[in-house]
Amino acid sequence: MKSRNVLVLVLCLNVLLLGAIAESPTCPAADLGGECSHSGEWEGEFFPGIPKIKYEGPDSKKPLAFKWYNADEEILGKKMKDWMRFSVAFWHTFRGTGGDPFGAATKYWPWEDGTNSLAMAKRRMRANFEFINKLGVEWWCFHDRDIAPDGQTLKETNANLDAVVALAKELQGTKIKPLWGTAQLFVHPRYMHGAATSSEVAVYAYAAAQVKKAMEVTHYLGGENYVFWGGREGYQSLLNTDMGRELDHLARFLEAAVAHKKKIGFNGTLLIEPKPQEPTKHQYDWDAATAANFLRKYGLIDEFKLNIECNHATLSGHSCHHELETARINGLLGNIDANSGDPQVGWDTDQFLTDVGEATMVMLSVVKNGGLAPGGFNFDAKLRRESTDVEDLFIAHISGMDTLARGLRSVKNLIEDGSLMELVRKRYQSFDTEIGAQIEAGKADFEYLEKKALEWGEPKVPSAKQELAEMIFQSAL
């Protein structure tokens, strides 16, 4: 009798356990269109206890408050929010795991269930918009495969993307929209040889279909830009690479993208994001100058601008300020991926920008450019591997926003003081003469210049006053 009661109790417990499992299914990564695709609504807030972030001024000691970024404060003729146009990067903020080439994931956000199901994708999207609203920004950026899972076929994959995008459209409301969207053409094994530069025509066609869809959903969501980052558009060895043919294929791909943009009535800016290497040994959009040359060669210079990422600039051997100025003077500065690297680490670490001096140089270029609209500042930056609290997501973005806001305030100080601009003006004042004007107008030939050189004798070369320039710059910070 006793054993029978025990057996009944065990059976009852099993029934209860099975019922619990049925109510909270564990969704496999490959589950698409099944039960997992319609379950898993998150109850309550994703970030409980974290209020909407407010500006409290430089004296505030609260980590969850802005000290320097005051969105509606007018500086140099624009509100701070209009100079900045801050954007949250979905992939780092909601898909970042803390994993690196040497270690597994360290971040396990409370709303994650360990799957890549459609239900999980929708849950992340809800978290995204709660985060955006509490942070107080109006823009977000995404890769297609970060927001929605792959299906077994391209048709299924597009259906997954449509489902998530429909939810994003609903959650955006009328105030929030994408700063830019893009297609992820570098993670899947099909892109091991590249996408637009792949040696396989079927891969090229698949990539075209993926970009077509990503551009269409960006347009549907009201995105103002569309980015091309050639993650694997390059080579590992020239021994087995026809570089000329690959570059021609890349140009044809971008031409087709321009045509489709016009066909669907998308008025956003197309952006190319330079990076020298990683994951390929050499990428075809090495830096701003290389990208500009490519666009000019293939007659695309009027169809594209550049999305400059600061960490990519340093990987190419330049400063972020150099890349921004190169893009600006070529009329190509369209957007900035605001991050920084570590000089002691040889790869793309995507850290939040916290150096006020660097931020000031960045903002110098932005102010000279008259702003970035329809582009802005996208935080293509991730938490450090060791930062694992949900509030760290807010602290990192607040710090990045405050740093760039301090940079803008420092630029205002430099402009109002005028000393640095006057130093630069004086350095080139010899070209403000009649002969200088002739040179700059292209009206001084070598015979005329030789005559003047003989007349003037050995030139007297003044000091560049570099230390004074640095002193003035530092005093404005």
Side-chain angles (χ1 to χ4, degrees), residues 10 96 106 128 201 232 290 322 361 369 415 425 459:
V10 170
T106 59
N128 175 55
V201 70
R232 297 192 187 275
T290 305
H322 168 90
M361 288 186 281
N369 201 57
I415 290 174
R425 186 198 69 78

Side-chain angles (χ1 to χ4, degrees), residues 128-199:
N128 175 55
F129 283 101
E130 183 181 322
F131 182 82
I132 288 171
N133 279 297
K134 286 189 171 182
L135 189 62
V137 300
E138 299 177 1
W139 309 94
W140 65 294
C141 295
F142 66 91
H143 298 79
D144 53 357
R145 297 302 181 259
D146 295 323
I147 63 173
D150 264 316
Q152 299 300 320
T153 65
L154 180 59
K155 184 177 180 180
E156 287 182 9
T157 300
N158 286 345
N160 292 337
L161 185 57
D162 285 337
V164 176
V165 166
L167 176 62
K169 182 78 167 179
E170 174 190 334
L171 296 172
Q172 279 186 169
T174 57
K175 188 177 181 182
I176 299 169
K177 53 187 174 180
L179 186 63
W180 52 258
T182 188
Q184 187 196 80
L185 304 176
F186 48 90
V187 171
H188 197 283
R190 77 172 68 92
Y191 297 125
M192 69 172 73
H193 305 309
T197 60
S198 175
S199 52

Side-chain angles (χ1 to χ4, degrees), residues 401-418:
M401 293 165 75
D402 267 345
T403 299
L404 284 162
R406 288 185 70 180
L408 178 60
R409 293 178 187 276
S410 297
V411 171
K412 177 177 179 289
N413 293 339
L414 285 170
I415 290 174
E416 290 178 346
D417 174 73

Side-chain angles (χ1 to χ4, degrees), residues 165-472:
V165 166
L167 176 62
K169 182 78 167 179
E170 174 190 334
L171 296 172
Q172 279 186 169
T174 57
K175 188 177 181 182
I176 299 169
K177 53 187 174 180
L179 186 63
W180 52 258
T182 188
Q184 187 196 80
L185 304 176
F186 48 90
V187 171
H188 197 283
R190 77 172 68 92
Y191 297 125
M192 69 172 73
H193 305 309
T197 60
S198 175
S199 52
E200 297 300 317
V201 70
V203 174
Y204 185 100
Y206 197 105
Q210 191 174 333
V211 169
K212 174 182 178 292
K213 183 66 175 178
M215 190 179 292
E216 288 166 357
V217 300
T218 300
H219 179 39
Y220 172 73
L221 289 170
E224 297 203 4
N225 304 270
Y226 184 88
V227 166
F228 293 86
W229 176 58
R232 297 192 187 275
E233 311 295 16
Y235 63 80
Q236 301 293 0
S237 172
L238 279 175
L239 293 175
N240 63 349
T241 300
D242 187 335
M243 184 163 64
R245 198 171 189 183
E246 289 193 2
L247 286 167
D248 287 347
H249 291 173
L250 178 58
R252 301 292 88 80
F253 192 95
L254 295 177
E255 287 172 359
V258 170
H260 191 65
K261 166 194 165 178
K262 295 176 179 177
K263 182 177 181 179
I264 64 175
F266 176 46
N267 294 320
T269 303
L270 301 181
L271 300 167
I272 289 179
E273 181 177 326
K275 188 179 184 183
Q277 74 276 321
E278 190 196 56
T280 61
K281 177 180 178 179
H282 175 92
Q283 289 177 210
Y284 293 137
D285 51 6
W286 181 276
D287 59 7
T290 305
N293 181 63
F294 171 88
L295 292 172
R296 283 196 183 90
K297 176 183 177 180
Y298 289 101
L300 293 165
I301 195 72
D302 295 327
E303 304 290 353
F304 288 83
K305 288 192 176 183
L306 301 183
N307 178 43
I308 301 299
E309 179 172 325
C310 291
N311 201 171
H312 292 180
T314 52
L315 287 176
S316 66
H318 306 304
S319 68
C320 188
H321 193 204
H322 168 90
E323 286 292 87
L324 292 173
E325 284 296 280
T326 300
R328 184 183 69 81
I329 64 178
N330 281 280
L332 296 174
L333 179 54
N335 195 80
I336 298 174
D337 271 3
N339 61 18
S340 65
D342 189 320
Q344 293 180 289
V345 179
W347 66 77
D348 194 7
T349 54
D350 287 330
Q351 297 171 222
F352 279 84
L353 178 59
T354 58
D355 185 313
V356 177
E358 184 176 4
T360 301
M361 288 186 281
V362 167
M363 292 310 303
L364 270 172
S365 291
V366 172
V367 170
K368 287 179 181 179
N369 201 57
L372 293 171
F377 283 95
N378 173 50
F379 284 110
D380 191 357
K382 57 192 176 189
L383 294 180
R384 296 303 85 206
R385 176 176 168 78
E386 302 80 11
S387 299
T388 56
D389 291 339
V390 167
E391 76 164 5
D392 293 336
L393 291 170
F394 283 91
I395 292 170
H397 282 81
I398 291 167
S399 178
M401 293 165 75
D402 267 345
T403 299
L404 284 162
R406 288 185 70 180
L408 178 60
R409 293 178 187 276
S410 297
V411 171
K412 177 177 179 289
N413 293 339
L414 285 170
I415 290 174
E416 290 178 346
D417 174 73
S419 299
L420 184 61
M421 290 68 182
E422 179 63 12
L423 185 153
V424 174
R425 186 198 69 78
K426 284 184 177 179
R427 190 175 179 210
Y428 295 92
Q429 64 185 352
S430 67
F431 279 88
D432 295 330
T433 59
E434 181 180 353
I435 185 172
Q438 287 179 303
I439 291 170
E440 292 181 343
K443 296 180 179 179
D445 60 24
F446 274 10
E447 284 77 9
Y448 175 67
L449 293 173
E450 180 188 43
K451 178 182 176 182
K452 300 303 294 185
L454 290 170
E455 177 186 326
W456 290 336
E458 184 63 29
K460 295 180 180 179
V461 184
S463 170
K465 296 291 185 183
Q466 183 172 330
E467 289 74 19
L468 177 58
E470 291 168 350
M471 178 185 290
I472 294 169

